[in-house]
Amino acid sequence: ILLQTLIIKNKTIMKKNLGPVNCLYPMPVTIVGSITDGRVNYMPVAHVGIMNHDLQSYISVSMAKIHYTTAGVKQNKAFSVNLPSQDLVVQTDYCGLVSGHDIDKSDVFETFYGELETAPMIVECPVNMECRLYQLVDFKTHDLLIGEIISAHADESILTNRTIDMDKLKPMLFDMGRKEYFKLGESFAKCWGVGMNYK
């Protein structure tokens, strides 16, 4: 690891070059649902991103090509993204420990469907998004799946003023470096407001 010394405003700052490491963790844990070879399958995925926030919304999901779930998304051109709360940590982690190639995970959760019949969603997860595969970006070991969100579903119990309330949802966060799950902390400033104090 290379060490770099910076002198900024008469202060000495030491920076370590970590190499090409992705430092965006922790990321929210999701569970991606698909139907693969006619069977419902669920897999936890933290490499999920927001593409936009317009009326026609898109979401990105990065999954290794070898995953059983990835095959199902390609087969049916549809998938779901489910947000588990912290009380589902055991079931969520289990779905990441075993592969759908070897184990039938269809009975780990209760399944329901919306408009898309090939995007199984999880009843126990407070938030669900059913997605139609919009585009697939082919990387060497992974596929970046871009999904068009057809509809989002949420338990009424985690809504405040028709908006998903993070305090009520209690989402799980995943850190690759420590390989641990974390809780979301409390809010500390207002977006599009606190910056007005800059001088």
Side-chain angles (χ1 to χ4, degrees):
I1 297 177
L2 299 177
L3 194 62
Q4 184 178 12
T5 303
L6 305 174
I7 307 295
I8 299 175
K9 295 182 180 178
N10 297 322
K11 291 183 180 178
T12 301
I13 299 171
M14 306 299 285
K15 290 277 189 178
K16 289 185 178 180
N17 185 339
L18 304 177
V21 175
N22 194 325
C23 301
L24 288 179
Y25 297 102
M27 298 288 288
V29 176
T30 71
I31 302 174
V32 173
S34 73
I35 294 182
T36 307
D37 299 330
R39 190 173 75 201
V40 170
N41 191 67
Y42 293 115
M43 183 184 89
V45 179
H47 297 166
V48 174
I50 298 169
M51 303 296 291
N52 68 337
H53 54 84
D54 303 321
L55 287 177
Q56 191 172 19
S57 296
Y58 297 87
I59 192 169
S60 66
V61 179
S62 178
M63 297 193 297
K65 293 178 182 293
I66 62 170
H67 288 309
Y68 194 68
T69 305
T70 309
V73 175
K74 291 177 179 178
Q75 288 172 12
N76 296 289
K77 306 293 188 284
F79 60 96
S80 70
V81 177
N82 306 271
L83 274 67
S85 53
Q86 294 160 20
D87 61 341
L88 293 174
V89 65
V90 172
Q91 298 93 318
T92 301
D93 196 61
Y94 170 78
C95 284
L97 290 172
V98 298
S99 170
H101 289 289
D102 309 311
I103 302 291
D104 182 352
K105 294 184 276 184
S106 60
D107 62 351
V108 175
F109 300 105
E110 291 292 328
T111 297
F112 78 101
Y113 296 89
E115 181 180 332
L116 302 178
E117 296 181 356
T118 53
M121 292 178 281
I122 298 172
V123 171
E124 293 90 336
C125 286
V127 179
N128 323 88
M129 292 172 278
E130 51 181 321
C131 304
R132 181 180 290 122
L133 182 62
Y134 176 78
Q135 185 177 349
L136 187 149
V137 182
D138 186 2
F139 288 94
K140 185 176 181 180
T141 59
H142 287 65
D143 287 319
L144 179 67
L145 311 170
I146 299 175
E148 177 186 359
I149 300 174
I150 300 304
S151 190
H153 309 263
D155 292 1
E156 197 170 13
S157 62
I158 57 101
L159 299 178
T160 298
N161 299 324
R162 295 178 55 84
T163 300
I164 294 170
D165 189 323
M166 290 295 117
D167 291 331
K168 295 178 180 178
L169 173 59
K170 294 181 172 49
M172 297 165 49
L173 304 178
F174 168 74
D175 175 39
M176 179 67 87
R178 290 172 54 173
K179 295 179 176 55
E180 292 179 344
Y181 297 113
F182 287 82
K183 298 178 181 179
L184 190 67
E186 62 185 26
S187 63
F188 68 94
K190 278 288 187 183
C191 305
W192 302 294
V194 68
M196 299 298 291
N197 297 318
Y198 179 77
K199 294 178 182 179

